[in-house]
Coordinates of all heavy atoms in Angstrom, one line a residue:
S306 N 0.8 -1.2 0.0 CA 0.1 0.0 0.0 C 0.8 1.2 0.0 O 1.7 1.4 0.8 CB -0.9 -0.1 1.2 OG -1.6 1.2 1.4
L307 N 0.6 2.1 -0.9 CA 1.2 3.4 -1.0 C 2.7 3.4 -1.0 O 3.3 4.3 -0.2 CB 0.6 4.4 0.2 CG -0.9 4.6 0.0 CD1 -1.4 5.4 1.3 CD2 -1.2 5.3 -1.3
A308 N 3.2 2.5 -1.7 CA 4.7 2.5 -1.9 C 5.1 3.5 -2.9 O 5.5 3.1 -4.1 CB 5.2 1.0 -2.1
L309 N 5.0 4.7 -2.6 CA 5.2 5.8 -3.6 C 6.1 6.8 -3.1 O 6.3 7.1 -1.9 CB 3.8 6.5 -3.8 CG 2.6 5.6 -4.2 CD1 1.4 6.4 -4.0 CD2 2.9 5.1 -5.6
A310 N 6.9 7.5 -4.0 CA 7.8 8.5 -3.7 C 7.1 9.8 -4.3 O 6.6 9.8 -5.4 CB 9.2 8.3 -4.3
L311 N 7.3 10.9 -3.6 CA 6.8 12.2 -4.1 C 7.9 13.0 -4.8 O 9.0 13.1 -4.2 CB 6.3 13.0 -2.8 CG 5.8 14.5 -3.1 CD1 4.6 14.5 -4.1 CD2 5.6 15.2 -1.9
I312 N 7.6 13.5 -5.9 CA 8.6 14.5 -6.5 C 7.8 15.8 -6.8 O 6.6 15.8 -6.8 CB 9.2 14.0 -7.8 CG1 8.1 13.7 -8.9 CG2 10.1 12.8 -7.5 CD1 8.7 13.3 -10.2
G313 N 8.5 17.0 -6.9 CA 7.7 18.1 -7.1 C 8.7 19.4 -7.0 O 10.0 19.3 -6.8
N314 N 8.2 20.5 -7.2 CA 9.0 21.7 -7.3 C 8.2 23.0 -6.7 O 8.6 24.1 -7.0 CB 9.5 22.0 -8.7 CG 8.4 22.2 -9.7 OD1 7.1 22.2 -9.3 ND2 8.9 22.5 -10.9
C315 N 7.1 22.7 -5.9 CA 6.3 23.8 -5.4 C 5.4 24.5 -6.5 O 4.9 25.6 -6.3 CB 7.1 24.8 -4.7 SG 8.1 24.2 -3.3
A316 N 5.3 23.9 -7.6 CA 4.4 24.2 -8.6 C 3.5 23.0 -9.0 O 2.3 23.1 -9.1 CB 5.1 24.8 -9.9
V317 N 4.2 21.9 -9.3 CA 3.4 20.6 -9.5 C 4.1 19.5 -8.7 O 5.2 19.6 -8.2 CB 3.5 20.2 -11.0 CG1 2.8 21.2 -11.9 CG2 5.0 20.2 -11.5
N318 N 3.3 18.4 -8.5 CA 3.8 17.2 -7.9 C 3.5 16.0 -8.6 O 2.6 16.0 -9.5 CB 3.1 17.1 -6.4 CG 3.6 18.2 -5.5 OD1 4.7 18.4 -5.2 ND2 2.6 19.0 -5.0
A319 N 4.2 14.9 -8.3 CA 3.9 13.6 -9.0 C 4.3 12.5 -8.0 O 5.1 12.7 -7.1 CB 4.6 13.4 -10.3
L320 N 3.6 11.4 -8.1 CA 3.9 10.2 -7.3 C 4.4 9.1 -8.2 O 3.8 8.8 -9.2 CB 2.7 9.7 -6.5 CG 2.1 10.7 -5.5 CD1 0.8 10.2 -5.0 CD2 3.1 10.9 -4.4
V321 N 5.6 8.6 -7.8 CA 6.3 7.5 -8.5 C 6.3 6.3 -7.7 O 6.7 6.3 -6.6 CB 7.8 8.0 -8.9 CG1 8.4 7.0 -9.8 CG2 7.8 9.4 -9.4
D322 N 5.8 5.2 -8.3 CA 5.9 3.9 -7.5 C 7.2 3.3 -7.6 O 8.1 3.7 -8.3 CB 4.6 3.1 -8.0 CG 4.8 2.3 -9.2 OD1 5.9 2.4 -9.8 OD2 3.9 1.6 -9.7
A323 N 7.3 2.1 -7.0 CA 8.5 1.4 -6.8 C 9.0 0.8 -8.0 O 10.2 0.3 -8.1 CB 8.4 0.4 -5.7
Q324 N 8.3 0.8 -9.1 CA 8.7 0.3 -10.4 C 8.8 1.4 -11.4 O 8.7 1.3 -12.6 CB 7.7 -0.7 -11.0 CG 7.7 -2.0 -10.3 CD 7.0 -2.0 -8.9 OE1 6.0 -1.5 -8.7 NE2 7.8 -2.5 -7.8
A325 N 9.0 2.6 -10.9 CA 9.2 3.9 -11.7 C 8.1 4.2 -12.5 O 8.3 4.8 -13.6 CB 10.6 3.7 -12.5
R326 N 6.9 3.9 -12.1 CA 5.7 4.4 -12.8 C 5.1 5.6 -12.2 O 4.9 5.7 -11.0 CB 4.7 3.3 -12.8 CG 5.1 2.0 -13.6 CD 4.0 0.9 -13.4 NE 3.9 0.5 -12.0 CZ 3.2 -0.6 -11.7 NH1 2.6 -1.4 -12.6 NH2 3.2 -0.9 -10.4
I327 N 5.0 6.7 -13.0 CA 4.3 7.8 -12.4 C 2.9 7.6 -12.6 O 2.3 7.4 -13.7 CB 4.7 9.2 -13.3 CG1 6.2 9.4 -13.1 CG2 3.9 10.3 -12.8 CD1 6.7 10.5 -14.1
V328 N 2.2 7.5 -11.4 CA 0.8 7.0 -11.2 C -0.2 8.1 -10.9 O -1.3 8.0 -10.9 CB 0.7 5.8 -10.3 CG1 1.5 4.6 -10.9 CG2 1.1 6.2 -8.9
W329 N 0.4 9.3 -10.6 CA -0.5 10.4 -10.2 C 0.3 11.8 -10.4 O 1.4 11.9 -9.9 CB -0.8 10.3 -8.6 CG -1.7 11.4 -8.2 CD1 -1.4 12.5 -7.4 CD2 -3.0 11.6 -8.5 NE1 -2.4 13.4 -7.2 CE2 -3.5 12.8 -7.9 CE3 -4.0 10.8 -9.3 CZ2 -4.8 13.3 -7.9 CZ3 -5.3 11.3 -9.3 CH2 -5.7 12.5 -8.7
C330 N -0.3 12.6 -11.1 CA 0.3 13.9 -11.4 C -0.9 14.8 -11.9 O -1.5 14.5 -12.9 CB 1.4 13.9 -12.4 SG 2.0 15.5 -12.8
C331 N -1.1 15.9 -11.2 CA -2.0 16.9 -11.7 C -1.2 18.1 -12.3 O -0.4 18.6 -11.6 CB -2.9 17.4 -10.5 SG -3.9 16.1 -9.8
M332 N -1.6 18.6 -13.4 CA -1.1 19.7 -14.0 C -2.1 20.7 -14.6 O -3.2 20.1 -15.0 CB -0.1 19.3 -15.1 CG 1.2 18.8 -14.7 SD 2.4 18.7 -16.1 CE 3.8 18.0 -15.4
P333 N -1.9 22.0 -14.6 CA -0.7 22.6 -14.2 C -0.6 23.1 -12.8 O 0.3 23.8 -12.4 CB -0.8 23.9 -15.0 CG -2.2 24.2 -15.2 CD -2.9 22.9 -15.3
R334 N -1.7 22.7 -12.0 CA -1.7 22.9 -10.6 C -2.0 21.6 -9.8 O -2.6 20.7 -10.4 CB -2.8 23.9 -10.2 CG -2.7 25.4 -10.9 CD -3.7 26.4 -10.4 NE -4.7 25.9 -9.5 CZ -5.6 26.9 -9.0 NH1 -5.4 28.2 -9.2 NH2 -6.6 26.5 -8.2
P335 N -1.7 21.6 -8.4 CA -1.9 20.4 -7.7 C -3.4 20.0 -7.6 O -3.7 18.8 -7.3 CB -1.2 20.7 -6.3 CG -0.3 21.8 -6.6 CD -0.8 22.6 -7.7
D336 N -4.3 21.0 -7.9 CA -5.7 20.7 -7.7 C -6.5 20.5 -9.1 O -7.7 20.5 -9.2 CB -6.5 21.8 -6.9 CG -6.3 23.2 -7.5 OD1 -5.5 23.3 -8.5 OD2 -6.9 24.1 -7.0
A337 N -5.6 20.4 -10.2 CA -6.2 20.3 -11.5 C -6.5 18.9 -11.9 O -6.3 17.9 -11.1 CB -5.1 20.8 -12.5
D338 N -7.2 18.7 -13.0 CA -7.4 17.4 -13.6 C -6.1 16.7 -13.8 O -5.2 17.2 -14.2 CB -8.1 17.7 -15.0 CG -8.4 16.5 -15.7 OD1 -8.3 15.3 -15.2 OD2 -8.7 16.6 -16.9
P339 N -6.0 15.4 -13.2 CA -4.8 14.7 -13.3 C -4.3 14.4 -14.8 O -5.2 13.9 -15.6 CB -5.0 13.4 -12.5 CG -6.5 13.2 -12.5 CD -7.1 14.6 -12.6
L340 N -3.1 14.7 -15.0 CA -2.5 14.2 -16.3 C -2.2 12.7 -16.2 O -2.4 12.0 -17.3 CB -1.2 15.0 -16.5 CG -0.5 14.9 -17.9 CD1 -1.4 15.3 -19.0 CD2 0.8 15.6 -17.9
F341 N -1.8 12.2 -15.1 CA -1.7 10.8 -14.9 C -2.6 10.4 -13.7 O -2.4 10.9 -12.6 CB -0.2 10.4 -14.6 CG 0.7 10.8 -15.8 CD1 1.6 11.7 -15.7 CD2 0.6 10.0 -17.0 CE1 2.4 12.1 -16.8 CE2 1.4 10.3 -18.1 CZ 2.2 11.3 -17.9
H342 N -3.5 9.4 -13.8 CA -4.5 9.1 -12.7 C -4.5 7.7 -12.4 O -5.5 7.3 -11.6 CB -5.8 9.6 -13.3 CG -6.4 8.6 -14.4 ND1 -5.9 8.5 -15.7 CD2 -7.4 7.7 -14.3 CE1 -6.5 7.6 -16.3 NE2 -7.4 7.1 -15.5
A343 N -3.7 6.8 -12.8 CA -3.7 5.4 -12.6 C -3.9 5.1 -11.1 O -4.6 4.0 -10.8 CB -2.6 4.7 -13.3
L344 N -3.4 5.8 -10.3 CA -3.6 5.5 -8.8 C -5.0 5.4 -8.4 O -5.3 4.5 -7.5 CB -2.8 6.5 -8.0 CG -2.8 6.3 -6.4 CD1 -1.9 5.1 -6.1 CD2 -2.3 7.6 -5.8
L345 N -5.8 6.2 -9.0 CA -7.2 6.2 -8.6 C -8.2 5.4 -9.6 O -9.3 5.6 -9.5 CB -7.8 7.6 -8.6 CG -7.2 8.4 -7.4 CD1 -7.9 9.8 -7.3 CD2 -7.3 7.7 -6.0
D346 N -7.5 4.5 -10.4 CA -8.3 3.7 -11.3 C -7.5 2.3 -11.2 O -7.1 1.8 -12.3 CB -8.4 4.2 -12.7 CG -9.4 3.5 -13.5 OD1 -10.3 2.8 -13.0 OD2 -9.4 3.6 -14.8
S347 N -7.5 1.7 -10.0 CA -6.6 0.5 -9.9 C -7.3 -0.6 -9.1 O -6.8 -1.2 -8.2 CB -5.4 0.9 -9.1 OG -5.7 1.6 -7.9
P348 N -8.5 -1.0 -9.7 CA -9.1 -2.2 -9.1 C -8.3 -3.5 -9.1 O -8.5 -4.3 -8.3 CB -10.5 -2.3 -9.8 CG -10.2 -1.7 -11.2 CD -9.2 -0.6 -10.9
D349 N -7.5 -3.6 -10.2 CA -6.7 -4.8 -10.3 C -5.3 -4.5 -10.3 O -4.5 -5.2 -10.9 CB -7.2 -5.6 -11.6 CG -8.6 -5.8 -11.6 OD1 -9.1 -6.5 -10.7 OD2 -9.2 -5.6 -12.6
G350 N -4.9 -3.5 -9.5 CA -3.5 -3.1 -9.5 C -3.3 -1.9 -10.6 O -4.2 -1.6 -11.3
I351 N -2.1 -1.4 -10.7 CA -1.8 -0.3 -11.5 C -1.8 -0.8 -13.0 O -1.0 -1.7 -13.4 CB -0.4 0.3 -11.2 CG1 -0.6 0.9 -9.8 CG2 -0.2 1.4 -12.2 CD1 -1.6 2.1 -9.7

């Protein structure tokens, strides 16, 4: 569960899993529509 690393720069953020998959990232703001959303659509894993 939540084996994720956070990257960011105080403008955008992303979550990278232990297999180097970016599974969550909202752009151009942290509260925007996600560009990568797999973390929240994972009934059978990523």
Side-chain angles (χ1 to χ4, degrees):
S306 172
L307 298 176
L309 305 168
L311 173 68
I312 59 172
N314 62 1
C315 301
V317 293
N318 293 304
L320 295 175
V321 186
D322 75 5
Q324 288 74 53
R326 296 174 295 192
I327 298 174
V328 297
W329 180 255
C330 176
C331 297
M332 282 195 182
R334 301 186 351 172
D336 59 351
D338 179 10
L340 189 62
F341 299 110
H342 74 287
L344 183 68
L345 291 189
D346 194 19
S347 53
D349 302 308
I351 298 296

